Amino acid sequence: MRLLTHNFLASNMKGVSTGYPLGLEVVKSTIKEVELNADFLRGILPKLDWRALAAATSAAGYPDLLPAEQPSEAEFFAEGAAEFEDSPIRRLHRALLEIHIDEGTLVCPESGRTFPIQKGVPNMILHEDEVRA
Amino acid sequence: MSAGDSAAVSAVEGKLAEVSTNSDLKSLPKRGKAASGRTLNTAQIQLVARHPEVYEPCDDSFALVDALLSDKAQLLALQPSLCLEVGCGSGYVVTSLAIMLRQLGSGTHYLATDINQHAVETTQATLEAHGIHADVIATDIVSGLEKRLAGMVDVVVVNPPYVPTPEEEIGIKGIASSWAGGLNGRQVIDRILPAVRELLSERGCMYMIALEDNDPLGICHLMNEKGYASRVLLKRCTEEESLYVLKFWQDPTAGSSASPSAKSPGSESSWISQLPFRSFWQKNNSSS
């Protein structure tokens, strides 16, 4: 699971109101490099919860990768920014699409219910008594 | 992303012989004929991972992929940024979707869900064998995604458990979850439809398989009441079943206020004119 998907997951237990963002405990993560696509990042940026992403990036072992506050669009998409290893867009690309959580746990911020991540797959399946009616 | 994916796929193609002879891990391909015609635009059947508790690609999976292929121009024009398969099973469909859209320069994030733990692992293996990446989530339908992804998903594909079964067969773990559909095969479908409607973006569309027994016209009718136009992309009769691939998309002119029969029959979005199964229409019409 990549952190982009973590950004889209919430706890869906009975009695939980927002259940977001899910805490992340990482046992094993890997980096798999993929080509940067600025158009994709531009489209996905407004859909992100930046704080959740920054916290997850930190939890995955990269506390300095993203700033706590979201950079402006101009900073992200400045001409030629993608060429620089250290540019905001490169960092965003790495955080969203290159860090894979292989083993770990997602934690519901309200109930403390944990959801295991095994072999890269988060398990969000609830027990019968946890499902909303 | 697309360039990387295609490079990886051709690398995989180069190793095809080696992989398919490795019968310890994967049973030998049973559908050589299908595979030969499906190498360029879809997942390769020889590379689809298998598990005794996971539904193998079958007539319905091929029908869904063929329907997606027939609608490829529309899919490409949509430039979807988020695509989701509900109930990914072997991973054949989501992998095929990613392969047919890999030429898109705009980039696409793929998500796939299944309630069967073996299916999520099998899907991952199938994706990996094709050099495609999707994030796979073990969950019931879209549970856990409905809050953050509301109104954000551009393409949803579903091959639901549609086989009419006794109600108690729903909820059985393992491969039964891939087909047990309860009364009229509609019990899981009727949970999937509202969940997917919540996720679809304004321009988003959903592709779903239904069986004649599921009352496809009834499904279209129900979606129409919720503001969705529909179209039968493909109808295929096999020895055992009549399969339909339905496509749904938001249509401002659809909805409970407009009587479906009042729509212009020639209109592109007119759902009723697209339905070839007149007997269903009559049955439905007379009962309403």
Side-chain angles (χ1 to χ4, degrees), chain A residues 12-24:
Chain A
N12 189 33
M13 285 181 65
K14 186 166 70 181
V16 165
S17 58
T18 55
Y20 187 86
L22 292 171
L24 178 62

Side-chain angles (χ1 to χ4, degrees), chain B residues 21-40:
Chain B
T21 51
N22 192 353
S23 51
D24 293 343
L25 295 172
K26 298 180 181 104
S27 58
L28 286 166
K30 291 174 187 167
R31 298 174 192 280
K33 192 183 158 210
S36 63
R38 291 168 193 275
T39 46
L40 292 174

Side-chain angles (χ1 to χ4, degrees), chain A residues 1-2 4-5 7-12 18 20 35 37 40 47-49 100 119 121-125 132, chain B residues 1 3 81 105-107 109 111 115 117 121 124 133 135-136 138-139 143-149 152:
Chain A
M1 179 189 73
R2 292 169 292 184
L4 176 53
T5 295
N7 210 262
F8 293 148
L9 282 173
S11 167
N12 189 33
T18 55
Y20 187 86
E35 205 177 315
N37 186 327
F40 177 75
K47 298 173 179 170
L48 296 178
D49 182 309
H100 291 245
K119 296 180 189 169
V121 177
N123 185 339
M124 304 302 293
I125 299 170
R132 282 166 216 264
Chain B
M1 208 168 288
S81 61
S106 52
H109 186 59
L111 292 167
I115 198 167
Q117 192 69 43
E121 288 177 19
Q124 276 198 317
H133 194 86
D135 281 350
V136 191
T139 196
S143 181
L145 292 168
E146 59 278 79
K147 286 177 195 155
R148 281 284 284 122
L149 284 189
M152 279 170 48

Side-chain angles (χ1 to χ4, degrees), chain B:
Chain B
M1 208 168 288
S2 51
D5 284 347
S6 57
V9 169
S10 33
V12 168
E13 280 164 4
K15 280 191 275 177
L16 226 166
E18 185 189 311
V19 173
S20 56
T21 51
N22 192 353
S23 51
D24 293 343
L25 295 172
K26 298 180 181 104
S27 58
L28 286 166
K30 291 174 187 167
R31 298 174 192 280
K33 192 183 158 210
S36 63
R38 291 168 193 275
T39 46
L40 292 174
N41 269 318
T42 71
Q44 292 174 68
I45 206 74
Q46 299 96 322
L47 297 182
V48 173
R50 290 185 162 80
H51 185 283
E53 283 297 322
V54 177
Y55 189 75
E56 283 185 25
C58 203
D59 293 332
D60 49 355
S61 330
F62 299 137
L64 181 52
V65 167
D66 288 345
L68 291 169
L69 274 175
S70 76
D71 213 38
K72 185 177 164 184
Q74 277 74 23
L75 281 164
L76 288 171
L78 190 61
Q79 298 203 330
S81 61
L82 282 173
C83 294
L84 165 72
E85 180 175 17
V86 176
C88 51
S90 68
Y92 174 75
V93 176
V94 68
T95 304
S96 297
L97 180 67
I99 289 173
M100 70 181 88
L101 299 185
R102 71 186 162 198
Q103 71 198 75
L104 271 180
S106 52
T108 307
H109 186 59
Y110 294 92
L111 292 167
T113 70
D114 206 297
I115 198 167
N116 176 354
Q117 192 69 43
H118 301 298
V120 295
E121 288 177 19
T122 305
T123 290
Q124 276 198 317
T126 297
L127 287 160
E128 207 166 304
H130 290 84
I132 301 284
H133 194 86
D135 281 350
V136 191
I137 302 163
T139 196
D140 179 28
I141 303 179
V142 296
S143 181
L145 292 168
E146 59 278 79
K147 286 177 195 155
R148 281 284 284 122
L149 284 189
M152 279 170 48
V153 183
D154 300 313
V155 175
V156 177
V157 293
V158 197
N159 182 358
Y162 55 63
V163 179
T165 62
E167 197 179 330
E168 51 273 23
E169 284 189 28
I170 290 181
I172 296 177
K173 286 188 177 171
I175 197 164
S177 67
S178 72
W179 46 262
L183 185 67
N184 299 325
R186 280 289 290 275
Q187 268 174 272
V188 183
I189 290 175
D190 287 345
R191 287 177 55 227
I192 291 173
L193 296 175
V196 170
R197 282 198 302 266
E198 287 300 308
L199 297 195
L200 281 179
S201 66
E202 246 173 65
R203 62 204 183 100
C205 51
M206 171 190 187
Y207 298 83
M208 190 183 79
I209 297 241
L211 205 62
E212 191 133 349
D213 291 344
N214 303 145
D215 183 12
L217 182 65
I219 295 173
C220 294
H221 209 283
L222 195 136
M223 289 295 279
N224 189 259
E225 280 170 13
K226 303 291 179 186
Y228 287 80
S230 48
R231 204 179 137 199
V232 176
L233 279 184
L234 183 149
K235 182 189 177 186
R236 188 171 290 171
C237 296
T238 70
E239 274 176 45
E240 292 146 9
E241 52 198 15
S242 293
L243 293 165
Y244 295 85
V245 179
L246 308 173
K247 178 184 179 180
F248 301 100
W249 66 96
Q250 275 192 53
D251 177 4
T253 66
S256 46
S257 55
S259 153
S261 55
K263 298 176 85 155
S264 120
S267 138
E268 177 62 38
S269 62
S270 169
W271 61 285
I272 204 73
S273 65
Q274 310 280 358
L275 299 170
F277 34 97
R278 191 169 161 77
S279 58
F280 270 100
W281 162 238
Q282 286 169 335
K283 187 176 91 187
N284 191 283
N285 200 29
S286 60
S287 66
S288 62

